[in-house]
Amino acid sequence: MMLDTTTEFGARVERRLREERIGWLTTVGRDGAPQPSPIWFLWDGGTFLVYSQPKQLKLGNIERNPKVALHLDSDGLGGNIVVVTGEARIVRDVPPANAIPEYLDKYRSGIARIGMTPESFARAFSVEIRITPKKLRGH
């Protein structure tokens, strides 16, 4: 997915992907039903990095079927829609969350709000998911 940041839509999407704190990751369940989960994510301009607790249903769903959708909330009036579809994989070559300054900059206050330190968060959310976007839609 190439994001054309010279357009109003592309610039808005890029800003939201960098600044939004919560996204919704939809995986495909064993029965074929969509399984949405709220997530924290880091957009690096080409892929999304998500940390998960082990043994979450979304991990098994991704292993069985890597096709996912990630969407951001609208503006509450049906506008500012951002939906990205792509493929997810569980990766092992990514440092823990507490070793990625950009992730900590984005989520430090959220980590504290849930009563964790960056180190305890990294231990609890120890499974890394990398999402490669294929298509973007929205308005």
Side-chain angles (χ1 to χ4, degrees):
M1 173 187 89
M2 292 300 296
L3 193 53
D4 182 0
T5 58
T6 65
T7 68
E8 185 275 328
F9 175 68
R12 182 168 34 88
V13 168
E14 175 71 15
R15 180 183 46 76
R16 290 195 69 203
L17 292 177
R18 291 204 186 278
E19 295 175 4
E20 292 281 328
R21 295 185 177 282
I22 305 291
W24 287 87
L25 177 63
T26 303
T27 59
V28 180
R30 187 180 298 276
D31 63 356
Q35 302 290 317
S37 302
I39 56 154
W40 289 351
F41 65 93
L42 184 65
W43 169 247
D44 67 9
T47 62
F48 298 94
L49 176 61
V50 175
Y51 289 96
S52 175
Q53 294 172 305
K55 300 182 182 178
Q56 296 297 303
L57 289 176
K58 68 179 162 265
L59 299 174
N61 291 345
I62 289 168
E63 287 177 343
R64 280 188 300 283
N65 183 345
K67 294 186 186 309
V68 299
L70 189 149
H71 76 271
L72 305 178
D73 287 337
S74 74
D75 62 8
L77 300 172
N80 207 11
I81 303 296
V82 176
V83 179
V84 176
T85 57
E87 293 193 0
R89 67 191 195 302
I90 298 166
V91 295
R92 311 232 185 296
D93 62 344
V94 177
N98 64 323
I100 299 183
E102 298 85 359
Y103 192 88
L104 288 180
D105 289 346
K106 188 172 183 180
Y107 292 110
R108 188 178 312 278
S109 64
I111 291 169
R113 190 175 58 252
I114 62 174
M116 299 181 106
T117 65
E119 294 74 23
S120 65
F121 178 86
R123 284 191 301 275
F125 289 79
S126 59
V127 180
E128 299 94 3
I129 301 167
R130 181 70 69 180
I131 301 167
T132 303
K134 302 292 183 191
K135 293 183 182 177
L136 167 68
R137 66 183 173 87
H139 56 82

